[in-house]
Amino acid sequence: MTTHTDHLSTAAGSAAGSGESAADPRAARERLWDAVREGDEYAASEPVFAALDAGVDPETVLLDVIAPVQRKVGAEWAADRITVAQEHAATAINDRIIAALAHRVRGGERPGAGAGRVTVACVDGEWHALPARLLAEVLALRGWQVDFLGAQVPVPHLIAHLHRTGPCAVALSSSIATRLPTAHAAITACQAAGTPVLAGGAAFGPDGRYAYLLGADAWAPDARAAADRLGEGVLPPPGLWSARHPVDDLPHLAGQEYTMVSRAAPRLVGETMAGLEERFPAMRDYTERQRLHTAEDIAHIVDFLSTALYVDDEELFTGFLLWTAQILTARKVPAHSLRPALDLLAGRLKDFPRATRLLERARLALDAGPASDTSAPDTSAPDTSAPDTTAPDTTGHGKPE
């Protein structure tokens, strides 16, 4: 019978026999990728701990070994080379390895508060906690006392935590752009509670454009930069900010288009589904699973349209549609299958000028053809640790031909 110890010994021997150096992050990445792709947690842990034993510092292991592998997991899913289940398994393995690394490096000791105390949290509705987890571990390695609150933290609970603990700052993470309105509420609430906010994650866009638009005190493209900025004291000290409303940062919200479109989202999805059935009678014979996927795809489109109205940026919506077209193409679903849904939405939103403009620009962009890169939405930017690896499941199941 082969034991887990035998497995690790064999893996280590194989690595040594091939001449790979445990201290080489590139070799460790390759071995980690092979293991997580196969769903083998024990094999995945071996190159990580071998790198530590060879003298590679833990921050390098986190950010130059584990984070790039997680990025590749997302790219391989987008290209339809691994399944959703494989992606989830790989992410879970990486998460457990990060926890094991942290316990090994700390040796059971709690990190001190020499650099100060910081809260790391994901925006409410944001389930992708691994990027924030990586940042939390990097900050702990640098001497911060870190309160890692995990995925989807409701704003009232976040504010209660801040009042109880009084951190120097909040590092707020979000990977999916549709969480931006919620992120805005979290940013303003944290600041009203006297705590500055460092934003990070793909949701905040290229160069942190949405982080600054929503009033965050700072933005960082990755975990190293985030830790550096906190260490350099670039954020204002905790204090009292005057309360402000979303319209104070985004005057266009006074036009109410975002509010009306977002509130009408369930009706828009239902009416678009009904319209597609009229155009494509074959949809009436779809299985329940196909109908569910179609409705989910339409709901993602409406959500991104609403978010683009919130931040008043057409690139966010067109970027999402082009990326979705790339995903569909990778799954051998014609990208033009998106067009009928956009046409139906345009008909139902004809009295909303900004929404109409966004839909028309998106249709023109689709007609021009998507780019070839399927690694991430065009509206994404590097987040506080690693790009989002589980973007909306627009796989095209149930898409009308």
Side-chain angles (χ1 to χ4, degrees), residues 3-319:
T3 67
H4 297 317
T5 302
D6 293 334
H7 187 126
L8 295 180
S9 297
T10 301
S14 175
S18 64
E20 294 178 352
S21 170
D24 179 6
R26 177 181 174 184
R29 284 197 301 269
E30 292 174 354
R31 294 171 60 201
L32 177 60
W33 162 247
D34 288 341
V36 299
R37 181 180 55 188
E38 297 301 322
D40 190 335
E41 179 175 348
Y42 298 97
S45 65
E46 196 280 329
V48 170
F49 295 133
L52 291 174
D53 291 339
V56 181
D57 68 275
E59 183 172 314
T60 296
V61 174
L62 287 168
L63 301 184
D64 295 339
V65 177
I66 299 174
V69 168
Q70 186 66 16
R71 180 159 52 246
K72 186 170 183 177
V73 169
E76 293 295 289
W77 169 83
D80 200 30
R81 288 190 286 264
I82 63 173
T83 67
V84 173
Q86 286 176 299
E87 178 275 316
H88 283 5
T91 300
I93 289 171
N94 280 334
D95 185 63
R96 289 193 291 272
I97 288 176
I98 292 168
L101 179 150
H103 286 290
R104 174 170 174 169
V105 170
R106 295 174 191 166
E109 297 182 1
R110 293 180 180 272
R117 187 169 191 167
V118 63
T119 295
V120 178
C122 294
V123 172
D124 194 8
E126 177 60 71
W127 284 97
H128 308 124
L130 192 64
R133 176 64 178 276
L134 280 163
L135 173 60
E137 296 303 336
V138 169
L139 290 173
L141 288 171
R142 295 196 184 190
W144 290 86
Q145 181 179 352
V146 182
D147 298 319
F148 175 57
L149 305 188
Q152 60 158 20
V153 182
V155 173
H157 297 294
L158 175 59
I159 300 307
H161 176 81
L162 300 184
H163 283 305
R164 184 172 64 85
T165 60
C168 301
V170 172
L172 196 63
S173 175
S174 185
S175 295
I176 300 296
T178 52
R179 309 319 308 159
L180 286 174
T182 306
H184 195 187
I187 291 168
T188 56
C190 289
Q191 292 170 337
T195 309
V197 178
L198 170 67
F204 293 102
D207 303 321
R209 65 178 66 174
Y210 305 126
Y212 296 117
L213 182 69
L214 303 183
D217 297 287
W219 167 82
D222 53 51
R224 281 196 178 92
D228 288 346
R229 291 179 185 182
L230 285 169
E232 293 164 0
V234 299
L235 273 68
L240 293 179
W241 278 258
S242 58
R244 67 183 193 277
H245 301 285
V247 72
D248 296 329
D249 294 323
L250 307 173
H252 58 268
L253 293 179
Q256 297 293 305
E257 277 201 41
Y258 161 75
T259 301
M260 288 185 280
V261 171
S262 61
R263 287 179 178 174
R267 176 175 57 81
L268 288 170
V269 173
E271 292 177 351
T272 302
M273 284 287 290
L276 287 174
E277 286 188 358
E278 292 178 7
R279 289 193 181 195
F280 305 95
M283 277 188 61
R284 297 167 189 167
D285 297 325
Y286 277 6
T287 65
E288 188 61 30
R289 184 170 181 270
Q290 286 176 312
R291 293 184 61 83
L292 176 62
H293 276 290
T294 303
E296 287 176 346
D297 291 348
I298 296 169
H300 288 313
I301 292 172
V302 174
D303 285 345
F304 270 85
L305 176 63
S306 297
T307 305
L309 289 171
Y310 190 89
V311 297
D312 197 30
D313 189 341
E314 67 182 46
E315 290 184 16
L316 189 150
F317 186 56
T318 56

